[in-house]
Amino acid sequence: MNCNVPTDIVFSFTGFAMRGGQTDTHHDGWGIAFFEGAGVRHFVDHQAAIASPVAELIKRYPIKSRNVIAHIRKATQGQVALENCHPFVRELWGRYWVFAHNGDLKEFNPVLSGSYRPVGCTDSERAFCYLLQELHARFGDAPPGLPQLHLALAELLPAIAAHGTFNMMLLSGEALFAHCSTSLHYLVRQHPFPTAKLSDEDLSVDFSQVTTPQDRVAVIVTQPLTTNEQWTAFAPGELKLFVDGAVQEAPAT
Amino acid sequence: MNCNVPTDIVFSFTGFAMRGGQTDTHHDGWGIAFFEGAGVRHFVDHQAAIASPVAELIKRYPIKSRNVIAHIRKATQGQVALENCHPFVRELWGRYWVFAHNGDLKEFNPVLSGSYRPVGCTDSERAFCYLLQELHARFGDAPPGLPQLHLALAELLPAIAAHGTFNMMLLSGEALFAHCSTSLHYLVRQHPFPTAKLSDEDLSVDFSQVTTPQDRVAVIVTQPLTTNEQWTAFAPGELKLFVDGAVQEAPAT
C-alpha cells in the first residue's frame, strides 16, 4: 500500500490475512512492515496469519502509514522459520529498505560480497541482498534520485526474473517499486471513494466515510482483494513505481 | 535476558514497562527484540511503553525466546521518533545483531564508511553502526569465535565509553554482551527457583512452578527489577558475556 496520507491497512489486511491459511494455502508464516517517517515497524511470524496473535493485533490496532508491505508465505525454498518470513528489512544509504517476493527462483546463486548476506535460506532474501549490493555498487555512497533508481531496477530485475517467478515489491521511505513476473494487480482509490467489498471475507467499508477528497491510496497485490472494484493487471515483466498513491511515469532511458 | 531454554519475558517486561512513563521517566518510546533461531521478532514504538498497544500484546502473549533485549527510551539526543527507538537491528556475517544503549555520548562522531549508516539521529545508533563496521574491519567476512569477539569488544568499547555514559547490550544469536559504564546489574535464576516480586508493580511469580531444575535464566538490567532477589552490580567499565544463562569467563588477553 502506498498513499499520500497516513492510512490504516486494517480493511485490506483483514482480507489478505484470510489467505494465510483459510481461503488460500499461504500458511507458512507472514509479515508486515509499516514505514513511519524514516522508521519501520516490522512484524513477522512463522505461524499462519489466520492463527497469529500478532496478526490479530494488526487487525485491531489501526497503525497509520503511507507505505506498507505485507506478505503471506507458502514455503517453496527454506523451511518454516522466522528468519525466512518476508518482508525483509535492511539498510542502504542510511535508509531502511523493505522487500517481499511472491514466486520461486531456481538456481539463483549470485556472488554476494560481505555487505549484505542472507540470514535465512530463501531465494527471496538472496535476491534482496543481491539487489541492495548491486545498487550500492552502481551508486556508491551517494543515493540516486528516483528516476535513476527506477532505471537501475529496470536493468537489474530481468536478470533475477530469468530464474523463475519474481513478483516482488521493494519499498524505501516514500517510493514503492512493484515488479510483475506472473501476477500483480493494482488499484488507486481516490475521490469519489467507493464502498469496497472484500473477496475473502464478508466485510465492506464505505471509504467515503473515512477519507477526505484529497486522499489517494494505491493497493498492489498478487490477486485482487475486493470484488466490486476495477483492478488493473500488470503485464509480465512490468515494473511500476508508486509515490503518494499514484503510478509514476517510467523514466526515459 | 539470556537463557538456556526458551523462556517468556512477561514477568520482567511487566515491571520494566512500568518504567516507561509510570514509575520512571523513560517515556520517549520503547522496543524489544526476541531471537528465535536465526530470526528476530522486533517491536518498536515511539509511544510510552505504559500506553502502547504493542506493549500490551507483549505482556499478554508469552513469546518464548532464549535471547531478548528490551529498552525504554528517554530521549537525550534525537527526537521522539520510531527510527530513534532501541533496540536497533542490523546484519553482519549473515546474522542479525541487536543493540540497545542506556546513556549519552557527547561529541561521538566516528567516521562511518558506507557499510553501516544510521537511519535515525541518535548517538546510540551511531555507536552501533561504528561497532559493526569495526568488527567487520577486524575480522573481514569470516565471523570470529566468541573469545575473539569478546576480546575485540573489550578493545573497542572503552573508546566509545570515553565519550560519556555507555551502558549497552549487544546480542547476536546465543551470545549477549553487556557493558557497564555507570549502572548495570544482573541476576542468574536457577534451581532452586525463588518467588520473585517486582519492584515496579504488585506482582509476584513463583518460578519453581514454571521451570524445570535444568533451566537457567540471566536477567541484565540497569536497575534491579525485583526486591527480594540478590542482584550483582557490574563494575564501571566491565564487559560481560552471557551464554545459556551463565556468565562466561573473560578470555585470556
Side-chain angles (χ1 to χ4, degrees):
Chain A
M1 183 178 76
N2 168 269
C3 324
N4 67 345
V5 291
T7 304
D8 82 59
I9 200 169
V10 170
F11 176 74
S12 293
F13 186 74
T14 299
F16 187 69
M18 293 291 282
R19 300 180 182 175
Q22 182 107 344
T23 57
D24 199 351
T25 58
H26 289 71
H27 45 49
D28 299 325
W30 68 280
I32 191 165
F34 303 79
F35 265 92
E36 218 173 281
V40 172
R41 293 181 195 266
H42 182 215
F43 302 87
V44 280
D45 202 343
H46 64 281
Q47 298 180 76
I50 55 155
S52 159
V54 188
E56 257 321 291
L57 172 86
I58 306 295
K59 281 190 260 178
R60 278 200 317 264
Y61 173 40
I63 298 172
K64 292 202 170 191
S65 171
R66 290 176 51 204
N67 289 284
V68 181
I69 291 182
H71 184 267
I72 46 176
R73 180 164 185 245
K74 181 173 180 174
T76 51
Q77 295 181 37
Q79 80 261 37
V80 179
L82 196 61
E83 66 269 25
N84 289 335
C85 292
H86 312 214
F88 301 98
V89 182
R90 295 291 177 99
E91 173 266 322
L92 170 63
W93 298 315
R95 305 179 199 158
Y96 290 121
W97 296 70
V98 172
F99 173 89
H101 168 213
N102 161 275
D104 197 8
L105 300 171
K106 304 292 189 195
E107 293 170 21
F108 180 67
N109 296 300
V111 175
L112 294 175
S113 69
S115 52
Y116 297 95
R117 282 168 64 176
V119 172
C121 46
T122 62
D123 51 332
S124 311
E125 194 186 9
R126 273 200 301 283
F128 183 34
C129 288
Y130 174 73
L131 271 177
L132 294 183
Q133 167 184 295
E134 294 304 303
L135 290 175
H136 194 203
R138 282 186 185 220
F139 298 107
D141 287 340
L146 275 182
Q148 289 73 39
L149 186 59
H150 198 155
L151 284 173
L153 288 170
E155 285 174 25
L156 288 166
L157 295 172
I160 303 174
H163 287 265
T165 308
F166 193 54
N167 304 306
M168 75 104 216
M169 295 193 204
L170 177 68
L171 169 62
S172 186
E174 313 213 326
L176 191 154
F177 290 94
H179 174 266
C180 174
S181 164
T182 56
S183 180
L184 216 55
H185 299 77
Y186 78 96
L187 177 79
V188 174
R189 288 195 188 110
Q190 54 194 339
H191 184 78
F193 282 92
T195 291
K197 188 178 171 341
L198 286 180
S199 51
D200 295 80
E201 191 161 34
D202 186 13
L203 184 64
S204 297
V205 166
D206 177 358
F207 282 110
S208 70
Q209 301 295 310
V210 291
T211 51
T212 74
Q214 288 73 43
D215 296 4
R216 192 171 52 216
V217 177
V219 182
I220 306 107
V221 289
T222 47
Q223 295 300 326
L225 282 169
T226 58
T227 51
N228 64 330
E229 295 176 290
Q230 192 68 41
W231 294 79
T232 302
F234 283 57
E238 199 170 12
L239 169 68
K240 285 185 185 296
L241 165 61
F242 295 83
V243 177
D244 288 337
V247 180
Q248 307 298 296
E249 288 287 322
T253 49
Chain B
M1 182 178 78
N2 168 270
C3 324
N4 67 347
V5 291
T7 303
D8 82 61
I9 200 169
V10 170
F11 175 74
S12 293
F13 186 74
T14 299
F16 186 69
M18 294 291 281
R19 299 179 183 177
Q22 182 108 345
T23 58
D24 199 350
T25 59
H26 290 70
H27 45 48
D28 299 325
W30 68 281
I32 191 165
F34 303 80
F35 265 93
E36 217 172 282
V40 172
R41 291 180 197 266
H42 181 218
F43 302 87
V44 281
D45 203 343
H46 65 281
Q47 298 180 75
I50 55 152
S52 160
V54 187
E56 258 319 293
L57 173 86
I58 306 295
K59 281 190 262 178
R60 279 200 318 263
Y61 173 41
I63 297 171
K64 292 203 171 191
S65 171
R66 290 176 50 204
N67 288 285
V68 181
I69 290 183
H71 184 268
I72 47 176
R73 180 163 185 246
K74 181 173 181 175
T76 52
Q77 295 181 37
Q79 79 262 36
V80 179
L82 195 62
E83 65 269 24
N84 289 335
C85 292
H86 312 214
F88 301 98
V89 181
R90 295 290 177 102
E91 173 266 324
L92 170 62
W93 299 316
R95 304 178 200 159
Y96 290 120
W97 295 71
V98 173
F99 173 88
H101 168 215
N102 162 275
D104 196 9
L105 300 171
K106 305 289 188 194
E107 294 171 20
F108 178 67
N109 297 299
V111 175
L112 294 175
S113 69
S115 52
Y116 296 95
R117 282 169 62 177
V119 173
C121 46
T122 62
D123 51 331
S124 310
E125 194 186 8
R126 273 200 300 283
F128 182 34
C129 288
Y130 174 73
L131 271 178
L132 294 184
Q133 167 184 295
E134 294 304 303
L135 290 175
H136 194 201
R138 281 186 185 220
F139 298 108
D141 288 339
L146 275 181
Q148 288 73 38
L149 186 59
H150 198 157
L151 284 174
L153 288 170
E155 285 174 25
L156 288 166
L157 295 172
I160 304 176
H163 287 266
T165 308
F166 194 54
N167 304 306
M168 73 106 218
M169 296 193 203
L170 177 68
L171 170 62
S172 188
E174 313 213 326
L176 191 153
F177 290 95
H179 174 266
C180 174
S181 164
T182 56
S183 181
L184 216 54
H185 299 77
Y186 77 96
L187 176 80
V188 174
R189 289 196 186 109
Q190 54 195 340
H191 185 78
F193 281 92
T195 290
K197 188 178 170 343
L198 285 180
S199 51
D200 294 80
E201 191 161 34
D202 185 14
L203 184 65
S204 297
V205 166
D206 178 359
F207 282 109
S208 70
Q209 299 297 308
V210 291
T211 50
T212 73
Q214 288 73 43
D215 296 3
R216 191 171 55 215
V217 177
V219 182
I220 306 107
V221 288
T222 47
Q223 295 300 327
L225 282 170
T226 58
T227 51
N228 64 329
E229 296 176 289
Q230 192 69 42
W231 294 80
T232 303
F234 282 58
E238 201 171 12
L239 170 68
K240 286 187 184 297
L241 166 60
F242 295 83
V243 177
D244 288 335
V247 179
Q248 306 299 297
E249 288 288 322
T253 49

